[in-house]
Amino acid sequence: MRTIKDIAKLAGVSRTTVSRVLNNSGYISEKSRKKVMDVIEETGYVPSQHAKSLRTKQTKIIGVILPKISTDTSSRTVDGMNEVFGEKGYQILLTSTNLDKEKEIEHLRLLQNRQVDGIILLATNTDEDLVEEIRKSKVPVVVIGQEVAGDSEIPSVIFDDYGASASLMETLIDNGYRKIGYIGVESSDRAVGVLRKQAYIDAMEKHNLEIGETWIQTGDFSIDSGYEAARRIFEGSRNVDAVFAATDRMGIGAFKYLRKERLSIPEDVAVVGIGSSETSRFIDPAMTTVEYEFEEAGRTGAEILLDILNGEANVPVKKLLDFKLVSRDSL
Amino acid sequence: MRTIKDIAKLAGVSRTTVSRVLNNSGYISEKSRKKVMDVIEETGYVPSQHAKSLRTKQTKIIGVILPKISTDTSSRTVDGMNEVFGEKGYQILLTSTNLDKEKEIEHLRLLQNRQVDGIILLATNTDEDLVEEIRKSKVPVVVIGQEVAGDSEIPSVIFDDYGASASLMETLIDNGYRKIGYIGVESSDRAVGVLRKQAYIDAMEKHNLEIGETWIQTGDFSIDSGYEAARRIFEGSRNVDAVFAATDRMGIGAFKYLRKERLSIPEDVAVVGIGSSETSRFIDPAMTTVEYEFEEAGRTGAEILLDILNGEANVPVKKLLDFKLVSRDSL
DNA sequence: ATCAAATATGGAATCGATTCCCTATTTTAG
DNA sequence: CTAAAATAGGGAATCGATTCCATATTTGAT
């Protein structure tokens, strides 16, 4: 492995000069620059990141904390981040909490010890403890996916859950559906549990539609729970004409139930979900849903973090992301 | 940020002693060890990785090169690796080629400059160039997913494509299916294109079953190509009673075609695939397929790499991975 | 009791870069 | 033509660890 010293000797200058060429800093004559450049070219020399980091306290590495790598959400978000970071010469150091919420804090610390330049956290919770830890961090942190508690100044990228949900409801109502059931998740999940449901309720109210007693059910994200929720809705009232599931997977559960009951989609009952999963696309009939652009979330998060690192002045603290209505055949 | 010097001062010993405690090396008295430990505990001191790496030439970072992060294969494999590496204090530096084969070599170089301890490559091709680059690498490289050209000594973890395919064929034949069509991919892909098809042909021969003229079709992994391939099979001969698709997604394409043709699955025609994708599970009827344990592949690859790094003697050069037949309702 | 081996600790060099501070040369202004 | 400013480049300290070597103290065998 060659070092800056070797290059200096070969080019007939001092290490200082080589360093200046490398970093484009200070005064330097064209002649020296060329000599150094030539030698670097010839030797294929690459400076040691460690030595550099030791002095500059910069690593060009971004730590990323995920709940689990192998999910659509995570992997697509990382794809997006990678795009932006790759361009700027940053690389991604991955850590996964494996769905263990406790570990989010632990990993936050671990990455700081690695002296990463910044951290992106795909949060699953927004506990006080976590927020506290983020606030204490000397390394900038950007949160993607969950709105961090109220007044905090932690930069975050979030999806427009309320808007997406509202838009889906408008579509259903526009298409003549009136008796709409809802399958949600529990309210500890702010994004999915609270906002999406609120939009459903608000839309029903706005259009003076009554909500039947059994029409609002709760699942746990799984397909099976969607099936059960659908069962509860229909066993309570046979004449519901549409099911709005807060996630695609629960929507797929509803599909299964309706199929079993020999109710045809969308003639008898419409079903819509949120997420635009692959399965939602290839199920029959294809499900109408909302697509979140996770790649875009990743890109945006990465850009915000870079802006912070570059000391940019007006970095947006919260960024609300767009969604896309995907109209298919289930309504 | 505290340094080893601070700790030494606080504990009333030299930096050398602190370092010895940190690394469990050399002689040290219980008393000194305790003093140092206490101070470390109190201060929450963590050694700088950069300084350490600069001296030891070890980074405790593994570079991982993927074709694309957001695929089932990649993300599950990374999940598996992460499990093993995490335990041993290694972290993962991710890079993605975004399906650009050329970039595999470029990233291989990039990671070496980062001075990672080892590299895991989820290869999409096994060109001469690539093999050459791997061979030149001073950093150990483990390849997952593709068998690297013949005689090479490059450690790799591969799936038993022939075995999986053969086992699926046996199941079909055991269940009385005789006129089996095949949807594959082109032979530039060794694992999927060549081995799986060979197993199909061998099984048919072994059981003295004839292969109709239009029964072997080629797709490009996409669902649509599966649809088209199925169309070509059935337009050629109406009485095929089973379709063996080399991948789930092409199998799903076949599902679509059969549904359109009002042929019921499995009464009229059986369909099987390989991959155990989520969609294969929730399509109706659920598809019989083969599950590859990508997590296991990741774990195994990680273990092999660690063995190499630890100078273990007999590291297996090739490791063939198991598969699991997932019997469902499509046959 | 004596001497070698084992144990314990510290000083200082080292890894490969950056950067502060200094000196020398060239350019520019008055 | 001279003094100040701009340009160019080098010496050496520095970042925070590890590790070689030297020295001091204990232990154990004879």
Side-chain angles (χ1 to χ4, degrees):
Chain A
M1 185 60 67
R2 291 172 192 286
T3 74
I4 199 173
K5 215 168 155 184
D6 303 329
I7 305 304
K9 189 170 290 172
L10 286 171
V13 299
S14 75
R15 286 136 76 204
T16 309
T17 305
V18 175
S19 175
R20 289 205 180 105
V21 172
L22 251 26
N23 298 285
N24 259 305
S25 61
Y27 292 116
I28 217 168
S29 64
E30 260 323 302
K31 224 169 64 185
S32 302
R33 157 169 274 118
K34 183 160 179 348
K35 269 192 300 187
V36 173
M37 289 296 240
D38 285 351
V39 174
I40 290 178
E41 190 77 22
E42 262 172 52
T43 54
Y45 160 77
V46 182
S48 150
Q49 267 296 329
H50 302 302
K52 190 169 181 159
S53 297
L54 182 55
R55 271 290 337 214
T56 61
K57 312 285 177 209
Q58 268 221 3
T59 55
K60 288 275 187 178
I61 290 183
I62 304 294
V64 174
I65 304 174
L66 305 171
K68 191 170 188 334
I69 299 160
S70 57
T71 64
D72 206 44
T73 310
S74 294
S75 60
R76 287 175 54 197
T77 308
V78 175
D79 251 347
M81 290 172 3
N82 189 57
E83 227 175 89
V84 173
F85 286 136
E87 261 172 32
K88 304 287 182 186
Y90 283 82
Q91 283 177 326
I92 292 176
L93 196 64
L94 256 204
T95 68
S96 155
T97 61
N98 273 313
L99 302 173
D100 180 350
K101 289 184 185 181
E102 308 291 305
K103 281 197 174 170
E104 290 186 350
I105 292 182
E106 189 188 321
H107 283 232
L108 223 37
R109 293 209 182 117
L110 212 68
L111 285 174
Q112 292 184 55
N113 297 339
R114 276 279 188 196
Q115 282 130 327
V116 297
D117 289 348
I119 295 177
I120 290 192
L121 172 64
L122 297 215
T124 57
N125 80 88
T126 52
D127 291 351
E128 254 319 303
D129 290 1
L130 183 72
V131 175
E132 194 46 39
E133 183 70 25
I134 294 176
R135 209 174 272 123
K136 277 195 310 202
S137 163
K138 279 141 294 182
V139 175
V141 177
V142 172
V143 174
I144 296 184
Q146 289 277 347
E147 184 160 16
V148 184
D151 55 331
S152 90
E153 291 281 290
I154 298 168
S156 37
V157 177
I158 49 191
F159 291 104
D160 185 5
D161 284 289
Y162 187 93
S165 204
S167 156
L168 222 33
M169 284 300 291
E170 281 309 312
T171 311
L172 279 172
I173 292 169
D174 278 358
N175 279 269
Y177 297 98
R178 291 289 176 272
K179 299 164 188 292
I180 306 172
Y182 178 82
I183 303 178
V185 302
E186 42 173 66
S187 61
S188 69
D189 187 316
R190 238 188 91 70
V192 181
V194 179
L195 295 174
R196 295 184 191 176
K197 182 171 168 186
Q198 195 54 52
Y200 160 77
I201 293 174
D202 290 354
M204 293 296 271
E205 249 170 37
K206 183 176 145 205
H207 290 272
N208 293 312
L209 299 173
E210 227 170 294
I211 298 177
E213 203 175 329
T214 63
W215 294 10
I216 296 186
Q217 296 291 341
T218 300
D220 65 1
F221 289 94
S222 73
I223 292 183
D224 287 347
S225 75
Y227 180 97
E228 289 302 319
R231 191 177 52 69
R232 289 196 298 272
I233 291 176
F234 283 89
E235 282 178 5
S237 94
R238 227 39 225 180
N239 61 349
V240 163
D241 60 10
V243 174
F244 175 10
T247 73
D248 276 5
R249 314 193 83 210
M250 295 193 299
I252 289 163
F255 260 64
K256 284 207 143 186
Y257 174 78
L258 294 171
R259 241 186 229 156
K260 201 207 78 184
E261 293 292 309
R262 306 259 164 236
L263 289 166
S264 66
I265 306 168
E267 289 77 13
D268 299 327
V269 182
V271 178
V272 301
I274 293 184
S276 189
S277 66
E278 195 194 75
T279 307
S280 79
R281 200 174 348 158
F282 296 113
I283 204 167
D284 183 43
M287 186 160 79
T288 290
T289 179
V290 160
E291 179 166 356
Y292 282 153
E293 301 200 30
F294 297 114
E295 288 87 353
E296 181 61 24
R299 263 179 254 129
T300 306
E303 276 156 10
I304 291 180
L305 188 52
L306 288 180
D307 281 352
I308 296 175
L309 289 178
N310 294 330
E312 218 80 10
N314 19 0
V315 179
V317 171
K318 306 263 176 249
K319 172 99 187 186
L320 199 65
L321 278 189
D322 237 7
F323 57 89
K324 219 163 58 191
L325 194 66
V326 184
S327 287
R328 295 201 281 233
D329 315 322
S330 66
L331 102 182
Chain B
M1 185 60 66
R2 290 173 193 285
T3 76
I4 199 174
K5 215 167 157 184
D6 303 329
I7 305 304
K9 188 168 292 171
L10 287 171
V13 299
S14 74
R15 285 137 76 204
T16 310
T17 304
V18 176
S19 176
R20 288 205 180 100
V21 172
L22 250 28
N23 298 285
N24 256 303
S25 63
Y27 293 115
I28 215 166
S29 66
E30 259 324 304
K31 223 170 65 186
S32 300
R33 158 168 275 119
K34 183 161 181 348
K35 270 192 302 185
V36 173
M37 290 296 239
D38 285 352
V39 174
I40 289 178
E41 190 77 24
E42 261 172 53
T43 55
Y45 159 77
V46 182
S48 150
Q49 266 297 328
H50 301 302
K52 189 168 182 160
S53 298
L54 182 56
R55 272 289 333 213
T56 61
K57 313 287 178 207
Q58 269 221 4
T59 55
K60 288 277 188 173
I61 290 183
I62 303 293
V64 174
I65 305 175
L66 306 171
K68 192 168 187 338
I69 299 161
S70 57
T71 64
D72 206 44
T73 311
S74 295
S75 60
R76 286 176 54 199
T77 308
V78 174
D79 252 345
M81 292 174 357
N82 188 59
E83 227 176 88
V84 173
F85 286 136
E87 261 172 30
K88 303 288 181 184
Y90 283 82
Q91 283 177 327
I92 291 177
L93 196 62
L94 256 205
T95 66
S96 157
T97 61
N98 274 315
L99 302 172
D100 180 349
K101 289 184 186 182
E102 310 290 307
K103 280 198 174 169
E104 290 187 349
I105 292 182
E106 188 188 321
H107 283 228
L108 224 36
R109 294 210 182 114
L110 211 69
L111 285 175
Q112 292 184 54
N113 295 340
R114 277 279 188 195
Q115 282 130 325
V116 296
D117 289 347
I119 295 177
I120 290 193
L121 172 63
L122 296 216
T124 57
N125 80 91
T126 53
D127 292 352
E128 256 318 303
D129 290 1
L130 183 72
V131 175
E132 194 47 38
E133 182 71 24
I134 294 177
R135 208 174 273 121
K136 277 194 311 199
S137 162
K138 280 140 294 182
V139 175
V141 177
V142 171
V143 175
I144 296 185
Q146 289 278 344
E147 184 160 18
V148 183
D151 56 331
S152 91
E153 291 281 290
I154 299 169
S156 37
V157 177
I158 50 191
F159 291 105
D160 184 5
D161 284 289
Y162 186 93
S165 203
S167 156
L168 222 33
M169 284 301 291
E170 282 309 313
T171 311
L172 278 173
I173 292 169
D174 278 0
N175 279 271
Y177 297 99
R178 290 291 176 269
K179 299 166 187 292
I180 306 171
Y182 178 81
I183 303 178
V185 302
E186 43 174 64
S187 61
S188 68
D189 187 315
R190 238 188 91 71
V192 181
V194 178
L195 295 173
R196 297 184 189 177
K197 181 171 167 186
Q198 195 55 52
Y200 160 76
I201 292 174
D202 291 354
M204 292 297 271
E205 249 169 35
K206 185 177 145 204
H207 291 271
N208 293 312
L209 298 174
E210 229 171 290
I211 299 178
E213 204 177 327
T214 61
W215 293 9
I216 297 186
Q217 296 292 342
T218 300
D220 64 0
F221 289 92
S222 73
I223 293 184
D224 287 347
S225 76
Y227 181 96
E228 288 303 318
R231 191 177 52 69
R232 289 195 298 272
I233 291 175
F234 284 87
E235 281 179 6
S237 95
R238 223 43 223 181
N239 61 350
V240 163
D241 62 9
V243 174
F244 176 7
T247 73
D248 276 5
R249 314 191 84 210
M250 295 192 299
I252 288 162
F255 260 63
K256 283 208 144 184
Y257 173 77
L258 295 171
R259 239 185 229 157
K260 201 207 80 187
E261 293 293 307
R262 304 262 164 232
L263 291 166
S264 66
I265 305 168
E267 290 77 12
D268 300 327
V269 182
V271 178
V272 301
I274 294 185
S276 188
S277 65
E278 195 193 77
T279 307
S280 79
R281 200 175 345 158
F282 295 112
I283 203 165
D284 183 42
M287 186 160 78
T288 290
T289 178
V290 161
E291 179 165 358
Y292 282 152
E293 302 199 29
F294 296 114
E295 288 87 353
E296 181 61 24
R299 263 179 254 128
T300 306
E303 275 156 9
I304 292 180
L305 189 53
L306 288 180
D307 283 351
I308 296 175
L309 290 178
N310 294 330
E312 217 82 10
N314 19 359
V315 179
V317 170
K318 306 264 176 248
K319 172 98 186 187
L320 199 64
L321 277 190
D322 237 9
F323 57 90
K324 219 163 59 190
L325 193 66
V326 184
S327 288
R328 294 200 282 234
D329 315 321
S330 65
L331 102 181

Short mmCIF file of all heavy atoms in Angstrom, two decimals, chain B residues 238-269:
data_model
loop_
_atom_site.label_atom_id
_atom_site.label_comp_id
_atom_site.label_asym_id
_atom_site.label_seq_id
_atom_site.Cartn_x
_atom_site.Cartn_y
_atom_site.Cartn_z
N ARG B 238 -53.15 -28.22 -26.50
CA ARG B 238 -54.22 -27.95 -25.56
C ARG B 238 -54.18 -28.86 -24.32
O ARG B 238 -54.72 -28.52 -23.28
CB ARG B 238 -55.53 -28.20 -26.31
CG ARG B 238 -56.66 -27.19 -26.12
CD ARG B 238 -56.28 -25.75 -26.12
NE ARG B 238 -57.01 -25.07 -25.05
CZ ARG B 238 -56.92 -23.78 -24.78
NH1 ARG B 238 -56.13 -23.00 -25.49
NH2 ARG B 238 -57.59 -23.25 -23.78
N ASN B 239 -53.57 -30.03 -24.47
CA ASN B 239 -53.72 -31.01 -23.40
C ASN B 239 -52.57 -31.10 -22.40
O ASN B 239 -52.41 -32.09 -21.71
CB ASN B 239 -53.99 -32.40 -24.00
CG ASN B 239 -52.83 -32.84 -24.89
OD1 ASN B 239 -51.95 -32.02 -25.18
ND2 ASN B 239 -52.82 -34.09 -25.28
N VAL B 240 -51.77 -30.06 -22.35
CA VAL B 240 -50.76 -30.01 -21.30
C VAL B 240 -51.48 -29.98 -19.95
O VAL B 240 -52.48 -29.28 -19.81
CB VAL B 240 -49.88 -28.76 -21.48
CG1 VAL B 240 -49.11 -28.45 -20.22
CG2 VAL B 240 -48.94 -28.94 -22.67
N ASP B 241 -51.00 -30.75 -18.99
CA ASP B 241 -51.74 -30.79 -17.72
C ASP B 241 -50.99 -30.15 -16.54
O ASP B 241 -51.47 -30.15 -15.42
CB ASP B 241 -52.18 -32.21 -17.38
CG ASP B 241 -50.99 -33.16 -17.21
OD1 ASP B 241 -49.83 -32.66 -17.18
OD2 ASP B 241 -51.22 -34.38 -17.12
N ALA B 242 -49.79 -29.65 -16.81
CA ALA B 242 -49.07 -28.96 -15.74
C ALA B 242 -48.04 -28.00 -16.33
O ALA B 242 -47.52 -28.23 -17.42
CB ALA B 242 -48.36 -29.97 -14.85
N VAL B 243 -47.79 -26.92 -15.62
CA VAL B 243 -46.77 -25.95 -16.05
C VAL B 243 -45.76 -25.80 -14.93
O VAL B 243 -46.12 -25.52 -13.79
CB VAL B 243 -47.38 -24.57 -16.35
CG1 VAL B 243 -46.29 -23.56 -16.64
CG2 VAL B 243 -48.35 -24.67 -17.53
N PHE B 244 -44.52 -26.02 -15.27
CA PHE B 244 -43.42 -25.83 -14.33
C PHE B 244 -42.70 -24.55 -14.72
O PHE B 244 -42.04 -24.48 -15.74
CB PHE B 244 -42.47 -27.04 -14.41
CG PHE B 244 -41.24 -26.92 -13.55
CD1 PHE B 244 -41.05 -25.89 -12.64
CD2 PHE B 244 -40.24 -27.89 -13.65
CE1 PHE B 244 -39.92 -25.81 -11.86
CE2 PHE B 244 -39.09 -27.82 -12.86
CZ PHE B 244 -38.93 -26.77 -11.98
N ALA B 245 -42.84 -23.52 -13.87
CA ALA B 245 -42.19 -22.25 -14.17
C ALA B 245 -40.91 -22.15 -13.35
O ALA B 245 -40.90 -22.47 -12.16
CB ALA B 245 -43.12 -21.09 -13.83
N ALA B 246 -39.85 -21.69 -13.98
CA ALA B 246 -38.55 -21.63 -13.30
C ALA B 246 -38.52 -20.56 -12.22
O ALA B 246 -37.64 -20.56 -11.36
CB ALA B 246 -37.44 -21.38 -14.31
N THR B 247 -39.47 -19.64 -12.27
CA THR B 247 -39.58 -18.65 -11.19
C THR B 247 -41.05 -18.40 -10.87
O THR B 247 -41.91 -18.52 -11.73
CB THR B 247 -38.96 -17.28 -11.57
OG1 THR B 247 -39.82 -16.64 -12.51
CG2 THR B 247 -37.57 -17.44 -12.17
N ASP B 248 -41.30 -18.03 -9.65
CA ASP B 248 -42.65 -17.75 -9.21
C ASP B 248 -43.34 -16.72 -10.08
O ASP B 248 -44.51 -16.86 -10.42
CB ASP B 248 -42.63 -17.18 -7.78
CG ASP B 248 -42.58 -18.29 -6.75
OD1 ASP B 248 -42.47 -19.46 -7.15
OD2 ASP B 248 -42.65 -17.96 -5.55
N ARG B 249 -42.60 -15.67 -10.39
CA ARG B 249 -43.27 -14.58 -11.11
C ARG B 249 -43.74 -15.05 -12.48
O ARG B 249 -44.83 -14.69 -12.92
CB ARG B 249 -42.32 -13.39 -11.28
CG ARG B 249 -41.58 -13.04 -9.98
CD ARG B 249 -40.87 -11.72 -10.10
NE ARG B 249 -41.79 -10.65 -9.81
CZ ARG B 249 -41.74 -9.43 -10.34
NH1 ARG B 249 -40.77 -9.14 -11.21
NH2 ARG B 249 -42.63 -8.52 -10.02
N MET B 250 -42.95 -15.85 -13.14
CA MET B 250 -43.42 -16.36 -14.42
C MET B 250 -44.57 -17.34 -14.20
O MET B 250 -45.49 -17.42 -15.01
CB MET B 250 -42.26 -17.00 -15.19
CG MET B 250 -41.19 -15.95 -15.55
SD MET B 250 -39.95 -16.50 -16.75
CE MET B 250 -39.21 -17.86 -15.87
N GLY B 251 -44.53 -18.02 -13.09
CA GLY B 251 -45.64 -18.90 -12.75
C GLY B 251 -46.93 -18.11 -12.56
O GLY B 251 -48.00 -18.53 -12.98
N ILE B 252 -46.79 -16.95 -11.96
CA ILE B 252 -47.96 -16.10 -11.76
C ILE B 252 -48.50 -15.64 -13.11
O ILE B 252 -49.71 -15.56 -13.33
CB ILE B 252 -47.60 -14.91 -10.86
CG1 ILE B 252 -47.40 -15.42 -9.43
CG2 ILE B 252 -48.67 -13.84 -10.90
CD1 ILE B 252 -46.63 -14.47 -8.54
N GLY B 253 -47.59 -15.38 -14.02
CA GLY B 253 -48.01 -15.05 -15.39
C GLY B 253 -48.84 -16.20 -15.97
O GLY B 253 -49.88 -15.97 -16.60
N ALA B 254 -48.39 -17.42 -15.73
CA ALA B 254 -49.12 -18.58 -16.24
C ALA B 254 -50.50 -18.65 -15.60
O ALA B 254 -51.51 -18.92 -16.27
CB ALA B 254 -48.33 -19.86 -15.94
N PHE B 255 -50.57 -18.37 -14.30
CA PHE B 255 -51.85 -18.29 -13.60
C PHE B 255 -52.81 -17.38 -14.36
O PHE B 255 -53.95 -17.73 -14.63
CB PHE B 255 -51.66 -17.69 -12.20
CG PHE B 255 -51.60 -18.70 -11.09
CD1 PHE B 255 -50.58 -19.63 -11.05
CD2 PHE B 255 -52.55 -18.70 -10.07
CE1 PHE B 255 -50.51 -20.55 -10.00
CE2 PHE B 255 -52.48 -19.61 -9.03
CZ PHE B 255 -51.46 -20.54 -8.98
N LYS B 256 -52.32 -16.21 -14.67
CA LYS B 256 -53.16 -15.21 -15.34
C LYS B 256 -53.70 -15.73 -16.66
O LYS B 256 -54.87 -15.57 -16.99
CB LYS B 256 -52.34 -13.93 -15.58
CG LYS B 256 -52.15 -13.09 -14.34
CD LYS B 256 -51.99 -11.62 -14.72
CE LYS B 256 -52.64 -10.73 -13.67
NZ LYS B 256 -52.61 -9.30 -14.04
N TYR B 257 -52.79 -16.36 -17.38
CA TYR B 257 -53.22 -16.88 -18.68
C TYR B 257 -54.29 -17.96 -18.51
O TYR B 257 -55.33 -17.94 -19.18
CB TYR B 257 -52.03 -17.45 -19.45
CG TYR B 257 -52.44 -18.15 -20.72
CD1 TYR B 257 -52.79 -17.40 -21.85
CD2 TYR B 257 -52.52 -19.53 -20.80
CE1 TYR B 257 -53.21 -18.02 -23.00
CE2 TYR B 257 -52.95 -20.18 -21.94
CZ TYR B 257 -53.29 -19.41 -23.05
OH TYR B 257 -53.71 -20.03 -24.20
N LEU B 258 -54.04 -18.87 -17.61
CA LEU B 258 -54.98 -19.97 -17.41
C LEU B 258 -56.33 -19.47 -16.94
O LEU B 258 -57.38 -19.93 -17.38
CB LEU B 258 -54.41 -20.98 -16.41
CG LEU B 258 -53.14 -21.70 -16.90
CD1 LEU B 258 -52.49 -22.50 -15.78
CD2 LEU B 258 -53.47 -22.61 -18.07
N ARG B 259 -56.29 -18.49 -16.08
CA ARG B 259 -57.53 -17.90 -15.60
C ARG B 259 -58.31 -17.30 -16.76
O ARG B 259 -59.51 -17.49 -16.88
CB ARG B 259 -57.19 -16.79 -14.60
CG ARG B 259 -57.77 -17.01 -13.24
CD ARG B 259 -57.49 -15.80 -12.39
NE ARG B 259 -56.92 -16.18 -11.11
CZ ARG B 259 -56.19 -15.37 -10.36
NH1 ARG B 259 -55.90 -14.15 -10.80
NH2 ARG B 259 -55.73 -15.77 -9.20
N LYS B 260 -57.60 -16.58 -17.57
CA LYS B 260 -58.25 -15.96 -18.73
C LYS B 260 -58.87 -17.02 -19.63
O LYS B 260 -59.95 -16.82 -20.19
CB LYS B 260 -57.23 -15.13 -19.52
CG LYS B 260 -57.87 -14.08 -20.42
CD LYS B 260 -57.00 -13.76 -21.61
CE LYS B 260 -57.17 -14.83 -22.69
NZ LYS B 260 -56.26 -14.71 -23.81
N GLU B 261 -58.19 -18.14 -19.75
CA GLU B 261 -58.67 -19.22 -20.61
C GLU B 261 -59.72 -20.09 -19.92
O GLU B 261 -60.13 -21.12 -20.45
CB GLU B 261 -57.49 -20.10 -21.05
CG GLU B 261 -56.50 -19.40 -21.97
CD GLU B 261 -57.14 -19.08 -23.31
OE1 GLU B 261 -57.69 -20.00 -23.95
OE2 GLU B 261 -57.10 -17.90 -23.71
N ARG B 262 -60.08 -19.69 -18.71
CA ARG B 262 -61.10 -20.42 -17.95
C ARG B 262 -60.68 -21.85 -17.65
O ARG B 262 -61.50 -22.76 -17.57
CB ARG B 262 -62.45 -20.46 -18.70
CG ARG B 262 -62.98 -19.12 -19.08
CD ARG B 262 -64.01 -18.65 -18.07
NE ARG B 262 -64.24 -17.19 -18.22
CZ ARG B 262 -64.17 -16.34 -17.23
NH1 ARG B 262 -63.87 -16.75 -16.02
NH2 ARG B 262 -64.40 -15.06 -17.43
N LEU B 263 -59.39 -22.05 -17.54
CA LEU B 263 -58.91 -23.36 -17.10
C LEU B 263 -58.69 -23.25 -15.61
O LEU B 263 -58.10 -22.29 -15.13
CB LEU B 263 -57.58 -23.67 -17.80
CG LEU B 263 -57.69 -23.93 -19.31
CD1 LEU B 263 -56.34 -23.88 -19.98
CD2 LEU B 263 -58.38 -25.28 -19.55
N SER B 264 -59.20 -24.23 -14.88
CA SER B 264 -59.05 -24.04 -13.44
C SER B 264 -57.81 -24.76 -12.93
O SER B 264 -57.38 -25.79 -13.44
CB SER B 264 -60.31 -24.51 -12.70
OG SER B 264 -60.45 -25.90 -12.85
N ILE B 265 -57.26 -24.14 -11.90
CA ILE B 265 -56.05 -24.64 -11.27
C ILE B 265 -56.46 -25.22 -9.91
O ILE B 265 -57.12 -24.52 -9.15
CB ILE B 265 -55.04 -23.50 -11.04
CG1 ILE B 265 -54.76 -22.79 -12.38
CG2 ILE B 265 -53.73 -24.01 -10.44
CD1 ILE B 265 -54.01 -21.47 -12.23
N PRO B 266 -56.09 -26.41 -9.56
CA PRO B 266 -55.27 -27.37 -10.33
C PRO B 266 -56.08 -28.39 -11.10
O PRO B 266 -55.49 -29.28 -11.70
CB PRO B 266 -54.49 -28.07 -9.22
CG PRO B 266 -55.48 -28.11 -8.09
CD PRO B 266 -56.36 -26.91 -8.22
N GLU B 267 -57.44 -28.27 -11.09
CA GLU B 267 -58.23 -29.33 -11.72
C GLU B 267 -57.82 -29.56 -13.18
O GLU B 267 -57.58 -30.70 -13.59
CB GLU B 267 -59.73 -29.01 -11.64
CG GLU B 267 -60.30 -29.10 -10.22
CD GLU B 267 -59.93 -27.90 -9.36
OE1 GLU B 267 -59.44 -26.89 -9.90
OE2 GLU B 267 -60.13 -27.98 -8.12
N ASP B 268 -57.75 -28.48 -13.94
CA ASP B 268 -57.39 -28.66 -15.35
C ASP B 268 -55.88 -28.68 -15.54
O ASP B 268 -55.33 -29.50 -16.26
CB ASP B 268 -57.99 -27.52 -16.19
CG ASP B 268 -59.52 -27.50 -16.09
OD1 ASP B 268 -60.10 -28.60 -15.96
OD2 ASP B 268 -60.11 -26.42 -16.12
N VAL B 269 -55.22 -27.74 -14.90
CA VAL B 269 -53.77 -27.62 -15.07
C VAL B 269 -53.12 -27.28 -13.73
O VAL B 269 -53.62 -26.43 -12.99
CB VAL B 269 -53.43 -26.47 -16.07
CG1 VAL B 269 -51.93 -26.38 -16.27
CG2 VAL B 269 -54.14 -26.69 -17.39
#
